[in-house]
Amino acid sequence: MSKPLVSIVMGSDSDLEIMREAGKALDDFGIDYEIDVTSAHRSPDRTADYARNAAGRGIRVIIAGAGGAAHLAGVIAAHTKLPVIGVPIPSTPLNGLDSLLATVQMPAGIPVATMAIGKPGATNAGILAAQMIALADSSVAKRLGAYKQKLAAGVEEKSKKLKNALNK
Ligand code: RP5
């Protein structure tokens, strides 16, 4: 097993069902990743250490998912030069809108690439991380090309089915 290039972290194990989607996307592109829990609020020292050490361990991209106050991605971005992708988790009665705003509204100077709320966002976080890795990895770039073709073929198929069903 080679060293992970992407790190997926989340504020609580209750975020796992959603954050697994990022891992599934990375699996599709053959990218090794690690997955862990660390919290901006409950374990601030652990989170800062994790962020400071990630690049030295060979990590190239960090995907961070959190609900509630959702400061995890921003705190991690404050402690690393690696690109950070944030996934807002719908874990409060506000259904993730709170997490989206907290994750996306970073002050100038500390960017977090913020995805959609929930599973679609986690999937896109995995794909965006793959796109970053692909800049310097031709095998991942090739898989991304095949993935785009598969998406387009899926739409063609749906179009044919729709026209057949409607007899148009
Ligand atoms: C956040 O608080 C976590 O990211 C999670 O989405 C939310 C609730 O956490 P638990 O109370 O389920 O541990 O920090």
Side-chain angles (χ1 to χ4, degrees):
M1 186 98 177
S2 52
K3 286 206 309 189
L5 295 177
V6 177
S7 186
I8 301 172
V9 278
M10 62 208 85
S12 171
D13 57 356
S14 61
D15 301 325
L16 183 59
E17 190 194 337
I18 287 171
M19 293 308 288
R20 266 193 215 285
E21 301 300 315
K24 283 186 204 165
L26 291 167
D27 284 336
D28 286 345
F29 300 111
I31 297 171
D32 284 324
Y33 59 89
E34 61 179 22
I35 187 156
D36 202 356
V37 173
T38 193
S39 167
H41 305 110
R42 292 168 175 157
S43 63
D45 293 340
R46 184 175 194 271
T47 296
D49 286 346
Y50 155 81
R52 287 187 191 120
N53 296 330
R57 291 188 291 105
I59 298 297
R60 305 263 182 81
V61 186
I62 296 173
I63 297 172
H71 292 143
L72 183 62
V75 166
I76 288 173
H79 289 290
T80 181
K81 295 196 282 287
L82 294 172
V84 177
I85 304 172
V87 180
I89 307 281
S91 58
T92 77
L94 296 176
N95 290 325
L97 198 53
D98 48 343
S99 314
L100 172 66
L101 295 177
T103 306
V104 78
Q105 287 293 353
M106 289 299 293
I110 308 289
V112 167
T114 304
M115 301 292 104
I117 298 168
K119 286 187 177 181
T123 298
N124 281 346
I127 296 169
L128 182 58
Q131 288 172 325
M132 292 174 181
I133 301 289
L135 292 171
D137 185 324
S138 58
S139 75
V140 176
K142 207 169 157 191
R143 286 181 196 231
L144 275 167
Y147 172 74
K148 291 276 191 193
Q149 281 176 2
K150 198 173 142 196
L151 282 184
V155 175
E156 285 293 335
E157 190 59 37
K158 283 178 185 172
S159 167
K160 271 185 207 152
K161 272 190 190 160
L162 189 82
K163 283 178 180 165
N164 283 341
L166 299 175
N167 221 0
K168 295 267 179 204

